[in-house]
Amino acid sequence: MTYKVGLLGLGTVGTGVAKILQDPAGRHPLLPNIEISRVGVRSLAKQRDVEIDPNIVTDDLESIVNDPAIDIVVEVIGGIEPAKSLILKAIDHGKHIVTANKAVIARYGNEIFSAAKQKGVYVMLEAAACGGIPVIQALKQSLGGNRISELTGIVNGTTNYILSRMYFEGADFDKTLAESQQLGYAEADPTADVDGYDAADKMAILASLAFGDRIKLEDIYREGIRSITSADIGYAKELGFTIKLLGIARRTDSNTGGKDDSNLEIRVHPTLIPIQHPLANIHGVTNAVRIEGDPIGEVVFSGPGAGAGATASAVVADIINVVAALKSMPNNVNQLMGCSHEHYAKIAPIENTVTQFYARLLTHDKPGVIGDLGTAFGKHCVSLNAILQKNTIHDGLAEIVVVTQRVSEYNFQQAISSIRDLPTLHSIPTVLRVL
Ligand code: HSE
């Protein structure tokens, strides 16, 4: 029996998927049973990098999700609409879904998975987080025997490329971003990547699978990398760290006793990572995810997080999984491939986070400044781990870098507020968390 795929989108990822499905030799033995029966595109006139029978190509995307002959709808259009509506309509018509759309899943997963459950169809999303890295299936199946305590990831390739270049070349953010845009590594509008939105979408998906509940995107604390300067990268290096945009999802042993008693943290922000940490040496556009679980301990996945081949690899794996499930159990849903989450997780507010902090301060170069800073930190129970003052920079200002011991975000921010009131303070250009 042949299983018919309706492919929505023939851009970079869609083209990669079509190329694999048209050339099954040496790949999974189920591939010859999978046929691209229709392809939906926005523009019929556009030149494509893959040969597709023009008779199966249409710009009427609705006609694909309604087509009774199609078993699996593969959505690789991206963006919210019309992707979300097409997915929901396809589910309503009893189609299984394979999607690479993190933005839709992170925002509308609740609606989509509830509809899929009602219809008894699969919604597969391996390509929606970290492209070619098989981390979704690992979380759903291979690590199922573990109680996961932490999932930490470099889940955005663009920012990792920018930060890697800043680390190796000592260049500033704006210059590196502009060059990355010229080279095609960063989008013309880099907001989703550099401000951490893309990473937050992926962390909502990964944390939901790791910790077994639905996640509201707006509960994820998010900061991007625009404030990182070459000076910060240099100081971090000197102190034995590198700086990465990290997604961190973890269950803490305890909480700070505040009004919110959740012990689940999910946050995306630039982070100082000790140079010996497994994520510190993931450079360029590569993504990596480190998972800690009981009993497995630590596992680290790394690989290409984007691009035609990597993302298509994940999409095709999902298609194969759906076809295998349909062949072996046509009247039942394979529970390992479904979504079993019913409730939203309660996420701890950022104030409850307990971590080390890095701060770069500019002060007037006067006697007693270090003493003033120490007193302000001490008053809020913030203990210092390292303090660096290299040189007076200009206009009589001194640059002072501190790294704290582990402290609650609340206490640290209180200390920073009182430091802002010191007459000797000029400004605090950077505050970062340490892993
Ligand atoms: N824009 C993403 C990144 C790739 O830079 O990692 C697609 O998820």
Side-chain angles (χ1 to χ4, degrees):
M1 175 172 173
T2 299
Y3 292 85
K4 294 194 187 318
V5 166
L7 184 58
L8 299 179
L10 197 57
T12 310
V13 180
T15 300
V17 171
K19 282 184 177 170
I20 297 175
L21 293 180
Q22 288 176 353
D23 181 20
R27 298 191 166 116
H28 197 283
L30 278 176
L31 284 179
N33 300 319
I34 300 166
E35 174 196 323
I36 300 181
S37 84
R38 302 196 54 196
V39 178
V41 296
R42 239 169 265 173
S43 159
L44 290 169
K46 194 169 163 190
Q47 284 290 323
R48 308 283 167 182
D49 183 29
V50 61
E51 253 182 58
I52 299 275
D53 173 0
N55 294 318
I56 67 165
V57 183
T58 177
D59 57 3
D60 179 3
L61 306 190
E62 296 259 345
S63 72
I64 294 182
V65 302
N66 293 336
D67 185 339
I70 286 175
D71 304 294
I72 304 168
V73 167
V74 173
E75 183 278 307
V76 284
I77 309 171
I80 304 288
E81 287 294 1
K84 176 205 160 204
S85 300
L86 289 165
I87 289 172
L88 285 167
K89 281 180 190 159
I91 292 172
D92 198 41
H93 285 93
K95 317 291 179 210
H96 304 282
I97 305 293
V98 172
T99 179
N101 199 321
K102 68 202 142 256
V104 164
I105 295 295
R107 283 162 190 76
Y108 302 103
N110 185 20
E111 197 178 338
I112 288 169
F113 285 107
S114 299
K117 196 168 177 182
Q118 215 187 359
K119 285 284 177 179
V121 297
Y122 298 111
V123 175
M124 305 292 286
L125 59 144
E126 185 66 68
C130 303
I133 304 179
V135 65
I136 304 276
Q137 181 150 346
L139 287 168
K140 276 188 183 173
Q141 302 187 16
S142 324
L143 296 173
N146 288 274
R147 193 174 293 126
I148 292 173
S149 51
E150 185 168 317
L151 183 151
T152 315
I154 296 173
V155 297
N156 181 268
T158 305
T159 46
N160 204 39
Y161 176 82
I162 293 171
L163 291 171
S164 300
R165 286 197 57 179
M166 289 174 72
Y167 182 82
F168 288 113
E169 296 166 21
D172 255 319
F173 173 79
D174 290 334
K175 179 171 175 275
T176 314
L177 172 62
E179 281 178 16
S180 306
Q181 287 170 316
Q182 274 160 19
L183 291 166
Y185 285 108
E187 305 275 348
D189 176 0
T191 310
D193 293 317
V194 302
D195 293 323
Y197 293 99
D198 173 85
D201 286 354
K202 291 168 183 167
M203 287 306 291
I205 294 169
L206 295 174
S208 169
L209 292 167
F211 297 104
D213 273 319
R214 293 179 177 172
I215 308 289
K216 285 195 182 125
L217 198 52
E218 60 269 27
D219 289 344
I220 299 180
Y221 178 82
R222 179 195 48 76
E223 267 177 40
I225 65 164
R226 288 186 202 264
S227 67
I228 311 292
T229 65
S230 56
D232 296 311
I233 303 254
Y235 282 121
K237 237 185 211 183
E238 197 169 333
L239 291 159
F241 297 97
T242 183
I243 301 177
K244 300 285 186 190
L245 182 71
L246 277 198
I248 300 171
R250 55 196 287 262
R251 280 210 190 280
T252 55
D253 296 336
S254 59
N255 58 61
T256 51
K259 60 182 173 4
D260 193 311
D261 60 358
S262 170
N263 67 353
L264 180 60
E265 294 175 10
I266 311 181
R267 44 198 167 96
V268 168
H269 51 67
T271 310
L272 270 77
I273 313 179
I275 204 70
Q276 64 277 12
H277 190 278
L279 298 183
N281 288 303
I282 304 295
H283 298 303
V285 292
T286 304
N287 284 194
V289 178
R290 176 186 178 277
I291 298 170
E292 215 174 283
D294 174 31
I296 194 165
E298 174 188 73
V299 270
V300 182
F301 300 83
S302 71
T311 313
S313 158
V315 167
V316 173
D318 277 348
I319 300 173
I320 292 169
N321 271 315
V322 172
V323 167
L326 295 177
K327 271 176 102 75
S328 60
M329 44 196 306
N331 301 315
N332 290 302
V333 174
N334 177 345
Q335 291 207 342
L336 289 174
M337 290 163 51
C339 168
S340 52
H341 308 153
E342 302 285 345
H343 306 289
Y344 281 101
K346 194 169 178 190
I347 312 294
I350 191 70
E351 294 75 34
N352 289 12
T353 301
V354 175
T355 189
Q356 288 181 268
F357 287 86
Y358 158 104
R360 182 163 59 88
L361 308 100
L362 296 181
T363 70
H364 300 288
D365 198 8
K366 293 203 170 126
V369 169
I370 299 268
D372 289 348
L373 294 177
T375 305
F377 279 124
K379 199 168 83 190
H380 296 282
C381 306
V382 178
S383 187
L384 297 183
N385 176 283
I387 182 155
L388 261 182
Q389 182 181 2
K390 298 287 287 188
N391 49 354
T392 297
I393 47 170
H394 53 80
D395 296 337
L397 294 177
E399 188 165 56
I400 297 170
V401 166
V402 296
V403 177
T404 71
Q405 304 278 18
R406 280 168 63 78
V407 57
S408 81
E409 173 99 20
Y410 178 81
N411 280 17
F412 178 78
Q413 295 298 351
Q414 293 285 105
I416 287 292
S417 288
S418 32
I419 288 168
R420 284 192 203 281
D421 292 338
L422 292 174
T424 43
L425 185 88
H426 176 271
S427 56
I428 306 179
T430 318
V431 168
L432 297 170
R433 295 168 191 82
V434 180
L435 187 63

